[in-house]
Amino acid sequence: MKDIKELTFEELKTELAAMDEKPFRAGQIFSWLHKRFVTDFDQMTDLSIGLRKKLSENYSLTVHELEEVQVSKADGTRKYLFKLCDGEFVEAVRMIYHHGVSLCISSQVGCRQGCRFCASTLGGLVRNLTAAEMLEQVYSVIRESGERVDSIVMMGIGEPMDNYDEAVRFVRLITDERGYDLSGRNITISSCGLVPGIRKLAEEGLKVTLALSLHAVSDEKRKKIMPVAERFTIEELMDAVDLYFEKTGRRVSFEYALIAGVNDTDEDIAGLVRLAGSRGCHVNLIPVNPVTERGMKEPDRTVVLNFKNKLEKKGINATIRREMGRDIDGACGQLRRKHRELP
Ligand code: SF4
């Protein structure tokens, strides 16, 4: 059965018309789903019992089981582990910033991109998430915390561009003004650099921010830590970044996981200045989360601070990502791995 949350407003209207229901019912149902986050058709109390029954016979209504919530004593970050209807697990992380509540969500169960510093990819890709399963991460967290989510980053388990259609459907659904009405400007989609997806996203007419996981400034070095670099060169990536800016007016930000002894030298700084400077791109430095299986470590704090200062001296807008939730299973994919006993 199709999940009703998966339907755009127009699709819902069409399906209701096929059931001989009045068009205004679409507004009522859409509002129950995307503003009041109901978990059962029977909660849609302004619909007749007959229509509720018809809906439940024709559609499913995905609700994730909340398997575990870890709360950081240090900063209140909450990490959620959801059990999906087929028994798979995904994670979402809720962080509180001065500008509001931010939620990092997953787009796939596992990932096939194989980045060397990442725990999410260790068991490979299991399956894509549907847009409804992405929405449900947001809505479950709102139900649990009682607070609205102000911004979303698609930077959890999975590569959104490898699940392109559902990722875009998710964005269209959550930004619909008749539903959750989140501004596209408050959504960040991250990509490890699947060039065709980035080029396609540039043409979608969505005002979302693109965060490119760059992590190295030469093809040679990038290939050592990111298999995707075997398929797309940095030059091709930068062409896609330029197209994204040209079409959307949104500057792409570069994510840069700092790994001790791998990409933390002056030469790397010079490369970042070359790539980010002329494009006015923001650089977000992420001291890599230690993942035992990968044997990668973050550089000393002084190296991280020096790296940032040297970038800033060259006119690059750089930040160090707040290390949230280090006292819980901080690295993306670690909590899921514990529950799945993955290799
Ligand atoms: S960093 Fe992202 S793209 Fe790379 S393996 Fe991990 S989840 Fe996949």
Side-chain angles (χ1 to χ4, degrees), residues 261-288:
V262 174
N263 62 358
D264 57 351
T265 64
D266 283 349
E267 204 181 299
D268 297 305
I269 293 171
L272 261 179
V273 171
R274 200 178 58 244
L275 296 175
S278 60
R279 297 182 169 85
C281 291
H282 175 98
V283 176
N284 192 22
L285 300 170
I286 311 156
V288 76

Side-chain angles (χ1 to χ4, degrees), residues 117 213-216 225 254-260 262-264 284-289 299:
F117 46 82
S213 298
L214 187 61
H215 305 321
I225 53 174
F254 291 164
E255 302 291 309
Y256 195 90
L258 273 169
I259 310 166
V262 174
N263 62 358
D264 57 351
N284 192 22
L285 300 170
I286 311 156
V288 76
N289 256 315

Side-chain angles (χ1 to χ4, degrees), residues 38-76:
V38 293
T39 54
D40 198 296
F41 290 106
D42 276 336
Q43 293 166 348
M44 301 180 177
T45 48
D46 56 3
L47 304 184
S48 68
I49 292 176
L51 177 55
R52 283 185 246 162
K53 187 163 176 286
K54 224 185 313 183
L55 292 176
S56 65
E57 283 165 0
N58 287 286
Y59 303 98
S60 60
L61 182 49
T62 298
V63 180
H64 295 334
E65 211 176 291
L66 194 50
E67 181 78 9
E68 188 177 338
V69 187
Q70 292 185 343
V71 184
S72 163
K73 287 194 183 73
D75 55 32

Side-chain angles (χ1 to χ4, degrees), residues 170-215:
F170 163 77
V171 172
R172 293 202 192 287
L173 281 163
I174 204 150
T175 53
D176 193 312
E177 58 192 15
R178 293 155 294 194
Y180 194 78
D181 194 19
L182 185 69
S183 163
R185 291 174 188 280
N186 293 344
I187 299 176
T188 300
I189 298 187
S190 97
S191 175
C192 66
L194 297 180
V195 168
I198 296 174
R199 300 188 78 90
K200 201 168 164 196
L201 190 69
E203 310 279 356
E204 290 285 353
L206 305 171
K207 290 278 176 212
V208 297
T209 300
L210 174 68
L212 174 68
S213 298
L214 187 61
H215 305 321

Side-chain angles (χ1 to χ4, degrees), residues 111-115 117-121 156-159 192 226 332:
C111 182
R112 64 171 143 199
Q113 303 304 323
C115 302
F117 46 82
C118 176
S120 299
T121 193
I157 299 171
E159 160 61 44
C192 66
M226 302 177 77
C332 162

Side-chain angles (χ1 to χ4, degrees), residues 10 28 95 140 185 313:
E10 293 309 321
Q28 289 176 304
M95 294 152 288
S140 296
R185 291 174 188 280
K313 276 195 187 132

Side-chain angles (χ1 to χ4, degrees), residues 64-100:
H64 295 334
E65 211 176 291
L66 194 50
E67 181 78 9
E68 188 177 338
V69 187
Q70 292 185 343
V71 184
S72 163
K73 287 194 183 73
D75 55 32
T77 295
R78 296 167 88 83
K79 187 155 194 171
Y80 296 82
L81 184 75
F82 299 112
K83 190 173 184 182
L84 309 180
C85 52
D86 59 357
E88 292 297 340
F89 293 95
V90 287
E91 301 170 8
V93 182
R94 178 184 181 275
M95 294 152 288
I96 302 166
Y97 291 97
H98 63 275
H99 52 76

Side-chain angles (χ1 to χ4, degrees), residues 10 27 82 99 162 166 207 219-220 229 231 250 320:
E10 293 309 321
F82 299 112
H99 52 76
D162 195 32
E166 289 300 306
K207 290 278 176 212
D219 288 324
E220 201 189 8
R231 296 165 59 200
R250 311 275 299 153
I320 300 172

